[in-house]
Every structure is written in structure tokens, then in C-alpha cells.
Amino acid sequence: MKVYAGSDVRNVGIVGHGDSGKTTLASALLYTSGATNRLTRVDDGNTITDHDDEEIARKVSISTAAAAAEWGGAKINLLDTPGYNTFISDAKAALIAADTALVVVDGVNGIEVQTEKAWGFASEYGLPKVIFVNKMQKERASVNAVVEQASEVFGVTAVPVQLPLGREKGFRGVVDLLTGKAYEYELDGSGKGVEVPVPGDMEDAVEEARIALIESVAETDEDLMELYFEEGTLPEDSLVAGLRKAVSEGEVTPLVCGSALHNMAIDRLLDFLVSSTPSAIDRGELPTESGAIRIDENGHLAMYVWKTSSDAFSGRVTYFRVASGVLETDARVYNHSRKGLEKFARVSVSQGKALTNVEAIRAGDIGVVAKLKDTVTGDSLGLKEKEVLFPQASLPNPSISYAIQPKTRQDEDRLSSAIARVLEEDQALNFYRDAQTQEFLLAGNGQQHLDVVCSKLQNRYNVNVELRAPKVPYRETIRGTADVHGRHKKQTGGHGQFGDCKIRVAPLDRGAEFEFVDEIFGGAIPKTYIPAVEKGIIEAAARGYLAGYPVVDFKVTLYDGSHHDVDSSELAFKLAGSKAFKLAMAEARPALLEPIAKVEVVAPIEFAGDLMGDLNSRRGRIQGMDTRGSTQLIHADVPMAEMLTYANDLTSMTQGRGSFSMQQDHYDFVPVQIAEKIIQVARRGRSGEDES
């Protein structure tokens, strides 16, 4: 593949709901452009962009794959992104490298939940959008229905640039409104369109749609509007140039259609991407932490990493975009994020997992390099003396956590390095140790997400693990006050032990943790022993009173006590403080606290009633609802203990069309009956540990 100037590069992120046909479309684009010699299918497990073993086995896109098509003197970088909710965060991470979002919509199902989410990602980055209505050969597929939905859901007027020839099983091609020509295709997947006359029964509809397209473009530019008033139309070259400008500026949302599975109208889509979507240079500037940098191959070298993957043969594979300057093979580039030099020994372009070496990557283009030492996703690189830091993709917090347990000692030894490699690839994951429960937790976007991670650990790194529901980090507190006297006195041969303190205990506001107040006057307790009293209380609180969970949100006032000149010591006062704490807990109405999560559920509106009923059954409190087109957003506060199985239950309730996000927000009291059961289980567990 030759080296392309940025003005001839199109960076296109293919996004949409799962099963809308994104990977099939990428395969058709690559085949039609001649990048591959056969039309590959997802069901056959041989597509260019779904090349990971997990993707082949599960027949879904798990992470973004890059491939390039050459067409009409341009290079089109295709970023095939996941569409299922579990993996869609990767779409957001990848769109940071795109200049256009190609939004794939199932012509039958229309705009679905994850389509909305992907559209939002593209809007967040300020990307122009092109709607591709796929599966036009299927029963009930409709371009008009998608146009209406786009207005309702996205708040935009989708402007058809093509009209379908025939409907459903009779779909045979498209009419290109830019040229006024019609093209027919065979069902053999060859993708070779034959120009045919516009059917007589479509002439009025074509004329009406072409006028609407011309008016939409003319309205975005004063000169074009003047020309339109003078001529009553726009010449084809002016229309194409005006459309490209309008699309680049986000003023027109064009809609095209076809069938990726049968490779129908894919050549027309390639033509459209080259002629009517912005080049990498048209983007103008890219944001940085200190302002913006112009996309210019004559500028100093600046680039950023948008994806990292791991390959059994190539090791770490790094995907990057050059924002400024030219990156040549064998270049030494400074990593501003890690403060170190990296050598780009072989600069390549990606066709799925296959890498093709090139001499250079120019500003605006996307490249790949293998075996960098330290560079990972989100890093910024360039000239050492010209620091440019690019913003990283802001991904939503993981929605679900599971405790991860190595099966053998060997697995335990290998787990840390293997997890580190997986985390490099997947920014939506989080791996951490819970400070309270001491469990290692793996957090992701759903059960399937974490299952994929476990499969990777086993198949790639020979690390066997099991996932189980994490312990709920309950806490304890008090509802009332207490005034107690704690004394530790022990007489043995020689010096004895003596510590004596009086404390008042009172509850604090939720989240206040702990407060210690010293009100000792007159030396009743020497100042050197007062910290020991506090330490004894803190250590006792950490061990809990009701069920072994930490005690929080209480205030202790030390107001009196006594000491012995010989027998008193720090240890004695520490034990006295601990004893006083236990006496106070018995009197101060101890209670159990549980973590409450802020939960947002997104699903088609027809499931709203069932979802709210289910959340109520989980002791959730509905905080509000929002409707966006055909999608319902439900906001609720739900105890985390009730959300451990929610991911699978939500999938069942919504036929896989719902998603949720969850973040721990605050603690609240556990209802008495439930608290009693939790305490009994905890005490049985502790007594079992004591016996062992």
C-alpha cells in the first residue's frame, strides 16, 4: 500500500447496534475495493475485522479492528467497532481516531438502543455522521421509517442521498440522487452495479428527493443558495462540493442504503465516502490539553495512541494516529506520557490482524507498529522538545464487579502480568483490591465482558481463574449515644497493667467516618497515653461489633479517666479504649449499613414497566425517568447487594436490548429483618474461622 497524503485519507468509524451488520459491511467494503479477494462472512468466522479467537467463537465484535480500503485515489481507514452494550465502550475509545461516523442502521429494526449510544459518542467528539440503512433486502425494511426515527430520536433531518430500487425481496439497487442515475446489482455478491434507467414509477419520487437534497445543501451556503435561486437547481459538481462541506460541518446528515450481506450498492457507498465525507486534513485541528494542533504534514511530529492489542507472534501491537508531521520507519519518537524514547522499527497499516509495512504515515493517517516497549493506549508521542498531550477517551465506569480467584498457585503467580496485558487492550476494565473485603475484583461492563476476559487469560496466557459474586462491603454504625467507663486492670508478678478512661459516643452524619475529641483536663490521663486510647478505639472499630464490619460515622469524646504512676502504659490505655468502645456499642443502638448504588437503566420503552417493577423488588427507589425517542432511561438508587445478578436478569427481561450503569454512591441502613440474617451469617462464618 502506498503512502497517502492526509487530504486523500478518510478515517471512518463504523458504529451501530449489535447485529446491524457493521462487520459484514466492513467485509463488503474491503472486498469491493479489492483489498481482499473474497467476500467473508461473520457466520463463517473468517471476516477480516472479527479476527480474535473470542470474536470468531462468539460471532460478535468484541473490540475495534482497523482495515484500509483504496478507492478512487483515496485511502479509507475503516474502524469496525463493537455494537453490543457489553463492549460498546470500545467504540467510544476508537472514535477518537475517526473523522466521520458511519452509523449502520438495521432497515427492519430501525434505530436501536446502542445506535443511540454510538451516535452520542460521535456527537461528543463533534464528528459528522452518515447513516447507512442496511439489510434493505429484508421484509419490512424501510428507508422512510429510519428518516422519521432519526428526527424523533436524534433530532436531525436525515437527508436521503440514495433511494432504494425495489422493496424487501425485490430490492435490487439504488438511485443515486447526486447523479440522478440508477444502479442494479445481482444477488451473487459480486458487487458489480449496472447502470439502468430510473423506473418510470419512481421518477416523481426521485425528483422530489433530489430537490430536497439540493435545498438542504443550498441552505448551508449563501453562494449556493444564490446559485440555486438563479438556476433553479445546482450543477452536480457544486452539489457534491457543497454536500461535502455541509457534511464536514455537521449541517447535513446524509442517508444512504444498501445490503452488505449481498454486496449491493457498496461501490456507491465507497464513492460517497470519497466524494462527500471530510478528509483527515478537512478536520482542520485536533484538541490537545494546551489548545489545539493543526493537522499538517509540514508541522512537527505529534501523534497519539488510540488502541493497544496483544498478538501471540507480534507481542504488543500499537495503533496510532499521526496528528502532525510525518512518521517514518525506524524513527525514534519521544513518549511524552511515559517520558521515554520508542523506536518505530516497522511502520505498518492494518488489515485486521495482518500488518503491511509502509515507508511512512503522514499527518491525519492511521498506522500500526509492533513491539513498542512502554507505550499504551492514550499515550501522546512526538518530538522531545515539542510536547503535545492529547486528551484521552473518557469511558463510563464499569457496571459490574466480580471477585477473581486463581485456581492454583501457578495461576496466582502468573495472574498479575496476564491481567496487566489484558488491561492494556481493554480500557473499560478495572482490576483492584477492595480495601475492606481484601478481595481482588475485576470490574467490567457485564457478565459476558468478564467471561471474555477469563477466556483470554486461559487461552492466551494459560492462567485459569474463576469468578464469584464479591462480598458486599457492609459497614456498621450507631443510631444512639452512650456514656461508658472502660478500665483495663491486670496484676501480675512485677509491674501490673492499668488504664482507665471515660468516653461519650455519638453518631455523625453519613460519610463523616470518625471524629475523636480530647477533653481531658488536669492530667487525669497523661497526654502521652491519649493517642493510645484513640488507637484502641480505631482498631476495635475496624473489627466491628455486630458482624465484623468496620464501624463508621461516630464521634468519641474522651473526657475523664485515671492512671497509675507505675502500672500505666500505652498498651494498657489502648486496651482500655478498646474495652470502652465495645461497652459503648452495646448501648448506642448499633446498626448495619449497606452500600447504595446510583443505577441508570437504558432500554426500549416497552420494557419500562417490567424494569421498574423489578427495581422495586430489589428494594430500589426510582429517582426519575427520561424518554428519548423510543428509549426509556430509568434512574434509581438500589442496594448493591441486590444488583449482583442484575446484568443477566436485565438481558433476559429486555431480550438483550437493555443496558445499565452503576456506581456506588452512599451508605444507608439495612432493614432490620435483612440485617439480622446478614449478622447471623457473618457470626456463623466467624465462629467457623475461630474453630479452625
Side-chain angles (χ1 to χ4, degrees), residues 475-510:
R475 293 182 177 179
E476 300 175 19
T477 192
I478 56 174
R479 292 175 181 266
T481 61
D483 190 327
V484 297
H485 181 190
R487 170 178 290 187
H488 174 71
K489 183 177 181 181
K490 190 172 184 181
Q491 192 65 46
T492 59
H495 290 308
Q497 296 180 29
F498 182 84
D500 182 57
C501 63
K502 294 181 180 179
I503 62 172
R504 289 190 294 268
V505 176
L508 292 176
D509 292 337
R510 200 64 55 237

Side-chain angles (χ1 to χ4, degrees), residues 305-327:
V305 176
W306 59 272
K307 174 181 170 65
T308 304
S309 68
S310 180
D311 184 85
F313 302 102
S314 304
R316 180 186 288 162
V317 179
T318 304
Y319 296 76
F320 59 87
R321 179 173 183 177
V322 177
S324 175
V326 178
L327 175 71

